[in-house]
Short mmCIF file of all heavy atoms in Angstrom, two decimals:
data_model
loop_
_atom_site.label_atom_id
_atom_site.label_comp_id
_atom_site.label_asym_id
_atom_site.label_seq_id
_atom_site.Cartn_x
_atom_site.Cartn_y
_atom_site.Cartn_z
N ALA A 145 100.76 108.09 130.88
CA ALA A 145 100.27 106.73 130.69
C ALA A 145 99.23 106.33 131.74
O ALA A 145 98.24 105.67 131.39
CB ALA A 145 101.44 105.74 130.70
N PRO A 146 99.39 106.69 133.03
CA PRO A 146 98.33 106.33 134.00
C PRO A 146 96.97 106.92 133.65
O PRO A 146 95.93 106.33 133.94
CB PRO A 146 98.87 106.90 135.32
CG PRO A 146 100.34 106.94 135.14
CD PRO A 146 100.56 107.29 133.70
N PHE A 147 96.96 108.10 133.02
CA PHE A 147 95.70 108.71 132.61
C PHE A 147 94.99 107.84 131.58
O PHE A 147 93.78 107.59 131.68
CB PHE A 147 96.01 110.10 132.03
CG PHE A 147 94.82 110.81 131.47
CD1 PHE A 147 93.81 111.28 132.29
CD2 PHE A 147 94.71 111.02 130.11
CE1 PHE A 147 92.71 111.94 131.77
CE2 PHE A 147 93.61 111.67 129.58
CZ PHE A 147 92.61 112.14 130.40
N PHE A 148 95.71 107.34 130.59
CA PHE A 148 95.12 106.47 129.57
C PHE A 148 94.71 105.13 130.17
O PHE A 148 93.66 104.58 129.84
CB PHE A 148 96.10 106.26 128.42
CG PHE A 148 96.38 107.50 127.62
CD1 PHE A 148 97.44 108.33 127.95
CD2 PHE A 148 95.57 107.84 126.56
CE1 PHE A 148 97.69 109.48 127.22
CE2 PHE A 148 95.82 108.99 125.82
CZ PHE A 148 96.88 109.82 126.16
N LEU A 149 95.56 104.60 131.07
CA LEU A 149 95.24 103.33 131.72
C LEU A 149 93.95 103.45 132.54
O LEU A 149 93.09 102.55 132.50
CB LEU A 149 96.40 102.90 132.61
CG LEU A 149 96.21 101.60 133.41
CD1 LEU A 149 96.04 100.41 132.48
CD2 LEU A 149 97.38 101.39 134.36
N THR A 150 93.80 104.56 133.25
CA THR A 150 92.59 104.77 134.06
C THR A 150 91.35 104.84 133.17
O THR A 150 90.29 104.28 133.52
CB THR A 150 92.73 106.05 134.88
OG1 THR A 150 93.89 105.97 135.69
CG2 THR A 150 91.51 106.26 135.75
N GLY A 151 91.45 105.48 132.04
CA GLY A 151 90.31 105.56 131.13
C GLY A 151 89.88 104.20 130.64
O GLY A 151 88.67 103.90 130.55
N VAL A 152 90.83 103.33 130.32
CA VAL A 152 90.49 101.98 129.85
C VAL A 152 89.86 101.16 130.97
O VAL A 152 88.88 100.44 130.76
CB VAL A 152 91.75 101.28 129.29
CG1 VAL A 152 91.43 99.85 128.91
CG2 VAL A 152 92.27 102.03 128.08
N VAL A 153 90.41 101.26 132.18
CA VAL A 153 89.86 100.51 133.31
C VAL A 153 88.44 100.95 133.60
O VAL A 153 87.55 100.11 133.86
CB VAL A 153 90.76 100.69 134.54
CG1 VAL A 153 90.09 100.08 135.77
CG2 VAL A 153 92.12 100.03 134.31
N LEU A 154 88.17 102.25 133.56
CA LEU A 154 86.81 102.74 133.78
C LEU A 154 85.85 102.24 132.71
O LEU A 154 84.70 101.88 132.99
CB LEU A 154 86.80 104.27 133.83
CG LEU A 154 87.48 104.91 135.05
CD1 LEU A 154 87.47 106.42 134.93
CD2 LEU A 154 86.80 104.46 136.33
N ALA A 155 86.32 102.19 131.45
CA ALA A 155 85.49 101.66 130.37
C ALA A 155 85.20 100.18 130.58
O ALA A 155 84.08 99.70 130.34
CB ALA A 155 86.17 101.89 129.02
N LEU A 156 86.19 99.43 131.07
CA LEU A 156 85.98 98.01 131.35
C LEU A 156 84.97 97.82 132.48
O LEU A 156 84.09 96.96 132.40
CB LEU A 156 87.31 97.35 131.73
CG LEU A 156 88.26 97.02 130.59
CD1 LEU A 156 89.60 96.55 131.14
CD2 LEU A 156 87.67 95.94 129.70
N LEU A 157 85.09 98.63 133.52
CA LEU A 157 84.15 98.50 134.64
C LEU A 157 82.73 98.85 134.20
O LEU A 157 81.77 98.17 134.56
CB LEU A 157 84.59 99.42 135.79
CG LEU A 157 85.89 99.02 136.51
CD1 LEU A 157 86.26 100.06 137.55
CD2 LEU A 157 85.73 97.65 137.16
N ALA A 158 82.59 99.92 133.40
CA ALA A 158 81.27 100.31 132.94
C ALA A 158 80.68 99.25 132.01
O ALA A 158 79.49 98.91 132.10
CB ALA A 158 81.34 101.66 132.23
N GLY A 159 81.52 98.70 131.11
CA GLY A 159 81.03 97.68 130.20
C GLY A 159 80.70 96.37 130.88
O GLY A 159 79.84 95.62 130.42
N SER A 160 81.35 96.08 132.00
CA SER A 160 81.09 94.83 132.69
C SER A 160 79.70 94.78 133.32
O SER A 160 79.16 93.71 133.57
CB SER A 160 82.15 94.61 133.79
OG SER A 160 82.05 95.61 134.79
N PHE A 161 79.11 95.96 133.58
CA PHE A 161 77.76 95.99 134.13
C PHE A 161 76.69 95.72 133.07
O PHE A 161 75.54 95.49 133.40
CB PHE A 161 77.49 97.36 134.79
CG PHE A 161 78.21 97.55 136.08
CD1 PHE A 161 79.31 98.38 136.15
CD2 PHE A 161 77.81 96.87 137.23
CE1 PHE A 161 80.00 98.55 137.34
CE2 PHE A 161 78.50 97.04 138.42
CZ PHE A 161 79.59 97.89 138.48
N ALA A 162 77.09 95.80 131.81
CA ALA A 162 76.13 95.55 130.72
C ALA A 162 76.78 94.65 129.68
O ALA A 162 77.00 95.05 128.55
CB ALA A 162 75.70 96.86 130.09
N PRO A 163 77.12 93.39 130.06
CA PRO A 163 77.73 92.49 129.07
C PRO A 163 76.74 92.19 127.96
O PRO A 163 75.56 91.97 128.18
CB PRO A 163 78.05 91.23 129.88
CG PRO A 163 77.10 91.29 131.04
CD PRO A 163 76.89 92.74 131.35
N LYS A 164 77.25 92.23 126.75
CA LYS A 164 76.47 91.93 125.55
C LYS A 164 75.32 92.92 125.35
O LYS A 164 74.33 92.59 124.71
CB LYS A 164 75.95 90.49 125.59
CG LYS A 164 77.04 89.44 125.64
CD LYS A 164 76.49 88.04 125.61
CE LYS A 164 77.61 87.01 125.66
NZ LYS A 164 77.09 85.62 125.64
N ARG A 165 75.47 94.12 125.88
CA ARG A 165 74.51 95.18 125.64
C ARG A 165 75.15 96.23 124.73
O ARG A 165 76.37 96.47 124.80
CB ARG A 165 74.07 95.84 126.95
CG ARG A 165 73.34 94.91 127.89
CD ARG A 165 71.92 94.63 127.41
NE ARG A 165 71.19 93.79 128.36
CZ ARG A 165 70.51 94.25 129.39
NH1 ARG A 165 70.49 95.54 129.63
NH2 ARG A 165 69.86 93.40 130.18
N VAL A 166 74.34 96.90 123.92
CA VAL A 166 74.89 97.83 122.95
C VAL A 166 75.54 99.02 123.64
O VAL A 166 76.64 99.45 123.28
CB VAL A 166 73.79 98.28 121.97
CG1 VAL A 166 74.33 99.33 121.00
CG2 VAL A 166 73.26 97.10 121.19
N TRP A 167 74.88 99.58 124.65
CA TRP A 167 75.46 100.77 125.28
C TRP A 167 76.76 100.44 126.01
O TRP A 167 77.69 101.25 126.06
CB TRP A 167 74.44 101.42 126.23
CG TRP A 167 74.18 100.69 127.52
CD1 TRP A 167 73.18 99.82 127.77
CD2 TRP A 167 74.94 100.80 128.72
NE1 TRP A 167 73.25 99.36 129.06
CE2 TRP A 167 74.31 99.96 129.68
CE3 TRP A 167 76.06 101.51 129.11
CZ2 TRP A 167 74.79 99.80 130.97
CZ3 TRP A 167 76.54 101.37 130.40
CH2 TRP A 167 75.91 100.53 131.32
N GLY A 168 76.83 99.22 126.59
CA GLY A 168 78.09 98.81 127.21
C GLY A 168 79.20 98.65 126.19
O GLY A 168 80.36 98.99 126.45
N ALA A 169 78.86 98.14 124.98
CA ALA A 169 79.87 98.01 123.92
C ALA A 169 80.36 99.38 123.47
O ALA A 169 81.54 99.55 123.17
CB ALA A 169 79.27 97.24 122.75
N TRP A 170 79.46 100.38 123.43
CA TRP A 170 79.89 101.72 123.05
C TRP A 170 80.86 102.30 124.08
O TRP A 170 81.84 102.97 123.72
CB TRP A 170 78.68 102.64 122.90
CG TRP A 170 77.95 102.50 121.59
CD1 TRP A 170 76.72 101.94 121.38
CD2 TRP A 170 78.42 102.92 120.31
NE1 TRP A 170 76.39 101.98 120.04
CE2 TRP A 170 77.41 102.57 119.36
CE3 TRP A 170 79.57 103.53 119.85
CZ2 TRP A 170 77.54 102.84 118.00
CZ3 TRP A 170 79.70 103.79 118.49
CH2 TRP A 170 78.70 103.46 117.59
N VAL A 171 80.60 102.06 125.35
CA VAL A 171 81.52 102.55 126.39
C VAL A 171 82.88 101.88 126.24
O VAL A 171 83.93 102.54 126.33
CB VAL A 171 80.91 102.29 127.78
CG1 VAL A 171 81.92 102.64 128.88
CG2 VAL A 171 79.64 103.09 127.97
N GLU A 172 82.89 100.57 126.02
CA GLU A 172 84.15 99.86 125.84
C GLU A 172 84.88 100.31 124.58
O GLU A 172 86.12 100.37 124.54
CB GLU A 172 83.89 98.36 125.83
CG GLU A 172 83.42 97.82 127.17
CD GLU A 172 83.13 96.34 127.13
OE1 GLU A 172 83.01 95.79 126.01
OE2 GLU A 172 83.01 95.73 128.20
N LEU A 173 84.11 100.62 123.53
CA LEU A 173 84.74 101.13 122.30
C LEU A 173 85.42 102.47 122.55
O LEU A 173 86.51 102.73 122.01
CB LEU A 173 83.68 101.27 121.21
CG LEU A 173 84.16 101.79 119.86
CD1 LEU A 173 85.22 100.87 119.27
CD2 LEU A 173 83.00 101.95 118.89
N ALA A 174 84.82 103.31 123.37
CA ALA A 174 85.47 104.57 123.73
C ALA A 174 86.78 104.31 124.48
O ALA A 174 87.78 105.01 124.27
CB ALA A 174 84.53 105.42 124.59
N GLY A 175 86.78 103.27 125.34
CA GLY A 175 88.01 102.92 126.02
C GLY A 175 89.09 102.43 125.07
O GLY A 175 90.27 102.73 125.23
N VAL A 176 88.69 101.67 124.04
CA VAL A 176 89.66 101.20 123.03
C VAL A 176 90.28 102.38 122.30
O VAL A 176 91.50 102.46 122.11
CB VAL A 176 88.96 100.24 122.05
CG1 VAL A 176 89.89 99.90 120.89
CG2 VAL A 176 88.52 98.97 122.76
N ALA A 177 89.43 103.32 121.86
CA ALA A 177 89.96 104.49 121.17
C ALA A 177 90.89 105.29 122.07
O ALA A 177 91.93 105.81 121.62
CB ALA A 177 88.79 105.37 120.69
N PHE A 178 90.54 105.41 123.34
CA PHE A 178 91.38 106.13 124.30
C PHE A 178 92.73 105.43 124.47
O PHE A 178 93.77 106.08 124.57
CB PHE A 178 90.63 106.21 125.64
CG PHE A 178 91.13 107.28 126.55
CD1 PHE A 178 90.98 108.61 126.22
CD2 PHE A 178 91.75 106.95 127.74
CE1 PHE A 178 91.43 109.60 127.06
CE2 PHE A 178 92.20 107.93 128.59
CZ PHE A 178 92.05 109.27 128.25
N ALA A 179 92.72 104.09 124.49
CA ALA A 179 93.96 103.34 124.67
C ALA A 179 94.92 103.53 123.51
O ALA A 179 96.13 103.64 123.69
CB ALA A 179 93.64 101.86 124.85
N TRP A 180 94.38 103.58 122.29
CA TRP A 180 95.25 103.68 121.14
C TRP A 180 95.80 105.09 120.93
O TRP A 180 96.61 105.32 120.03
CB TRP A 180 94.51 103.20 119.89
CG TRP A 180 94.50 101.71 119.83
CD1 TRP A 180 93.61 100.86 120.41
CD2 TRP A 180 95.46 100.88 119.17
NE1 TRP A 180 93.94 99.55 120.16
CE2 TRP A 180 95.07 99.53 119.39
CE3 TRP A 180 96.60 101.12 118.41
CZ2 TRP A 180 95.78 98.45 118.89
CZ3 TRP A 180 97.30 100.04 117.91
CH2 TRP A 180 96.90 98.74 118.15
N LEU A 181 95.35 106.04 121.75
CA LEU A 181 95.98 107.36 121.74
C LEU A 181 97.27 107.38 122.55
O LEU A 181 98.07 108.31 122.42
CB LEU A 181 95.02 108.41 122.30
CG LEU A 181 93.79 108.74 121.45
CD1 LEU A 181 92.89 109.71 122.18
CD2 LEU A 181 94.23 109.31 120.10
N LEU A 182 97.48 106.37 123.40
CA LEU A 182 98.69 106.34 124.23
C LEU A 182 99.97 106.28 123.39
O LEU A 182 100.89 107.08 123.64
CB LEU A 182 98.63 105.18 125.22
CG LEU A 182 99.88 104.97 126.09
CD1 LEU A 182 100.19 106.23 126.90
CD2 LEU A 182 99.69 103.76 127.02
N PRO A 183 100.11 105.36 122.41
CA PRO A 183 101.36 105.38 121.63
C PRO A 183 101.55 106.68 120.86
O PRO A 183 102.69 107.12 120.67
CB PRO A 183 101.19 104.18 120.69
CG PRO A 183 99.74 103.87 120.67
CD PRO A 183 99.24 104.25 122.03
N VAL A 184 100.46 107.33 120.43
CA VAL A 184 100.60 108.62 119.77
C VAL A 184 101.17 109.65 120.74
O VAL A 184 102.07 110.43 120.38
CB VAL A 184 99.22 109.07 119.22
CG1 VAL A 184 99.33 110.45 118.58
CG2 VAL A 184 98.68 108.07 118.23
N HIS A 185 100.68 109.63 121.96
CA HIS A 185 101.19 110.55 122.98
C HIS A 185 102.67 110.29 123.26
O HIS A 185 103.48 111.23 123.38
CB HIS A 185 100.37 110.39 124.26
CG HIS A 185 101.02 110.96 125.48
ND1 HIS A 185 101.16 112.32 125.69
CD2 HIS A 185 101.58 110.34 126.57
CE1 HIS A 185 101.78 112.51 126.83
NE2 HIS A 185 102.04 111.35 127.39
N LEU A 186 103.05 109.02 123.35
CA LEU A 186 104.45 108.70 123.64
C LEU A 186 105.37 109.12 122.50
O LEU A 186 106.46 109.66 122.73
CB LEU A 186 104.58 107.20 123.91
CG LEU A 186 103.86 106.67 125.16
CD1 LEU A 186 103.98 105.17 125.25
CD2 LEU A 186 104.41 107.33 126.43
N MET A 187 104.94 108.85 121.26
CA MET A 187 105.79 109.21 120.12
C MET A 187 105.89 110.73 119.97
O MET A 187 106.93 111.25 119.59
CB MET A 187 105.26 108.57 118.85
CG MET A 187 105.49 107.06 118.79
SD MET A 187 104.97 106.30 117.22
CE MET A 187 103.18 106.44 117.35
N ASN A 188 104.82 111.46 120.27
CA ASN A 188 104.89 112.92 120.23
C ASN A 188 105.83 113.46 121.30
O ASN A 188 106.38 114.56 121.15
CB ASN A 188 103.50 113.52 120.41
CG ASN A 188 102.63 113.32 119.20
OD1 ASN A 188 103.12 113.10 118.09
ND2 ASN A 188 101.32 113.38 119.38
N GLY A 189 106.03 112.70 122.37
CA GLY A 189 106.98 113.09 123.40
C GLY A 189 108.41 112.70 123.11
O GLY A 189 109.28 112.86 123.97
N GLY A 190 108.68 112.18 121.92
CA GLY A 190 110.03 111.81 121.52
C GLY A 190 110.50 110.48 122.05
O GLY A 190 111.72 110.21 122.04
N LEU A 191 109.62 109.63 122.52
CA LEU A 191 110.01 108.33 123.07
C LEU A 191 109.97 107.27 121.98
O LEU A 191 109.18 107.33 121.03
CB LEU A 191 109.07 107.94 124.21
CG LEU A 191 109.01 108.91 125.39
CD1 LEU A 191 108.01 108.42 126.43
CD2 LEU A 191 110.39 109.06 126.02
N MET A 192 110.83 106.26 122.12
CA MET A 192 110.86 105.13 121.21
C MET A 192 110.05 103.99 121.81
O MET A 192 110.10 103.75 123.02
CB MET A 192 112.30 104.67 120.97
CG MET A 192 113.18 105.72 120.29
SD MET A 192 112.61 106.10 118.61
CE MET A 192 112.91 104.52 117.81
#
């Protein structure tokens, strides 16, 4: 989980330098996709 959390925080920091810019939105979108892999990882590990 810290690995996924770190990826989202880095995407937020990168996107904050370019608010309302297209490239910043793409970086933040990558962070969103990375975040939604966390529940998949947890469920594959047998966790509820």
Side-chain angles (χ1 to χ4, degrees):
F147 175 69
F148 293 92
L149 177 63
T150 303
V152 175
V153 172
L154 291 177
L156 282 172
L157 291 176
S160 64
F161 287 106
K164 299 183 180 179
R165 297 285 183 88
V166 176
W167 73 265
W170 279 109
V171 174
E172 292 178 345
L173 180 60
V176 172
F178 200 66
W180 281 86
L181 291 176
L182 176 58
V184 177
H185 163 70
L186 295 176
M187 288 185 290
N188 288 338
L191 301 178
M192 297 295 294

